[in-house]
């Protein structure tokens, strides 16, 4: 005899956007590029976004201005997200101003070209620190600050599992970040928090795209016929932050238009 089906609560009411209105988000490395696109995408769904950046005040101001007509709101916050003191102060500020943090997107990264046979040790460990420190230093506080349904999403790249010339430091840092995502996913799951990563390939940054020849080659090999745009990845991150993504835990979701199937 079959056991009776378990009773399930009704699905939550759907909203016009992917996310329930009024969520509070922190996006690191958000003054330009992919981070800016993520901050813009989350604000489109009515989030209040803390836009963290390290150096460029003008770029941060432009990012805030570009989102001015969107439903949510933005607070730019300048500081080194690698610093435990800065991060703790920022999380304290978010607690004081909003009472909770619903979404953390860790996008901040740098790029120091180097080869394994001639590594630059200080820049290499700087990249590893930037990849790992925010989640390592912030995990305990985030567990207390995030309500059930909280989302942590880290941005990774194909260099975490492919060997790319001169990409040693970033590749090692992203590989470590993906592994940290898995460990944090297990420890934060009992709090109702999901931890995942989104990985992508070379991004189409328009006129700022590095090495147009390689970019053109990769675009031609992508089944979708073009390089991935920052907005493509931002949409996937928003999907992982939606209530319906609650059962995706500790995964690395690849958003590259299928390039990884052929590259």
């Amino acid at each position: 005899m079959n056991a009776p089906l378990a009773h399930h609560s009704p699905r939550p009411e759907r909203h016009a956007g992917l996310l329930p209105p009024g969520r509070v988000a922190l996006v690191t490395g958000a003054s330009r590029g992919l981070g800016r696109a993520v901050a813009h995408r989350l604000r489109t769904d009515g989030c209040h976004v803390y836009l963290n950046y390290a150096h460029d005040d003008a770029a941060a101001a432009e990012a805030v201005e570009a989102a001015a007509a969107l439903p949510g709101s933005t607070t730019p916050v300048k500081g080194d997200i690698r610093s435990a003191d800065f991060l703790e102060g920022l999380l304290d500020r978010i607690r004081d101003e909003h009472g909770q943090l619903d979404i953390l997107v860790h996008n901040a990264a740098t790029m120091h070209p180097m080869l394994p046979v001639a590594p630059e040790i200080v820049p290499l460990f700087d990249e590893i620190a930037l990849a790992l420190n925010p989640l390592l230093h912030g995990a305990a506080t985030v567990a207390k600050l995030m309500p059930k349904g909280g989302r942590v999403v880290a941005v990774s790249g194909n260099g975490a599992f492919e060997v790319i010339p001169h990409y040693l430091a970033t590749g090692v840092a992203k590989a470590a970040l993906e592994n940290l995502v898995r460990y944090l996913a297990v420890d934060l799951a009992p709090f109702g928090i999901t931890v995942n990563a989104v990985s992508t390939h070379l991004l189409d940054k328009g006129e700022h795209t590095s090495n147009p020849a390689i970019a053109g080659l990769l675009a031609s090999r992508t089944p979708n016929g073009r390089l991935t745009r920052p907005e493509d990845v931002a949409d996937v991150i928003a999907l992982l932050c939606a209530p319906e993504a609650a059962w995706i835990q500790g995964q690395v979701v690849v958003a590259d238009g299928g390039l990884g199937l052929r590259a």
Side-chain angles (χ1 to χ4, degrees):
M1 180 176 179
N2 293 332
L5 293 175
H7 173 74
H8 295 281
S9 301
R11 291 174 63 86
E13 180 183 354
R14 295 296 298 271
H15 299 271
L18 281 173
L19 310 180
R23 287 198 168 186
V24 180
L26 167 60
V27 183
T28 71
S31 63
R32 62 181 69 186
L34 176 53
R36 173 172 168 166
V38 173
H40 191 98
R41 180 63 182 81
L42 295 179
R43 182 164 166 174
T44 298
D45 271 13
C47 292
H48 179 88
V49 179
Y50 285 84
L51 186 152
N52 166 249
Y53 67 104
H55 304 293
D56 196 335
D57 295 321
E62 289 175 7
V64 174
E65 183 178 357
L70 297 177
S73 51
T74 305
T75 298
V77 185
K78 184 178 184 179
D80 185 354
I81 201 68
R82 294 173 300 182
S83 165
D85 290 340
F86 169 74
L87 177 61
E88 195 64 31
L90 176 53
L91 295 176
D92 285 344
R93 175 180 176 180
I94 294 172
R95 180 188 295 106
D96 292 342
E97 294 178 351
H98 291 277
Q100 66 187 47
L101 175 67
D102 299 286
I103 297 167
L104 168 58
V105 180
H106 179 32
N107 166 74
T110 56
M111 169 63 174
H112 296 90
M114 66 182 73
L115 294 169
V117 294
E120 299 176 56
I121 299 302
V122 173
L124 188 152
F125 279 96
D126 281 346
E127 288 207 37
I128 294 173
L130 183 55
L132 300 185
N133 283 11
L135 298 185
L136 287 173
H137 292 321
T141 302
V142 165
K144 299 175 183 176
L145 189 56
M146 278 191 171
K148 186 175 182 181
R151 300 285 188 264
V152 177
V153 183
V155 175
S156 187
N158 64 308
F161 59 90
E162 295 179 3
V163 176
I164 300 174
H166 305 282
Y167 207 70
L168 170 71
T170 305
V172 169
K174 293 300 188 182
L177 176 62
E178 290 185 7
N179 213 26
L180 178 59
V181 160
R182 288 185 277 270
Y183 277 88
L184 288 177
V186 171
D187 277 4
L188 294 184
F191 296 90
I193 298 169
T194 68
V195 186
N196 293 288
V198 174
S199 177
T200 189
H201 215 294
L202 179 69
L203 290 177
D204 182 354
K205 299 178 182 178
E207 62 182 16
H208 301 294
T209 300
S210 60
N211 202 323
I214 292 179
L217 174 63
L218 293 177
S220 70
R221 292 184 60 82
T222 303
N224 280 1
R226 62 170 176 81
L227 285 181
T228 303
R229 297 169 184 149
E231 293 76 16
D232 298 322
V233 184
D235 283 341
V236 175
I237 290 172
L239 283 171
L240 287 174
C241 294
E244 291 81 359
W247 215 238
I248 302 175
Q249 183 67 284
Q251 302 302 305
V252 179
V253 179
V254 178
D256 66 356
L259 175 58
L261 301 174
R262 302 174 68 180

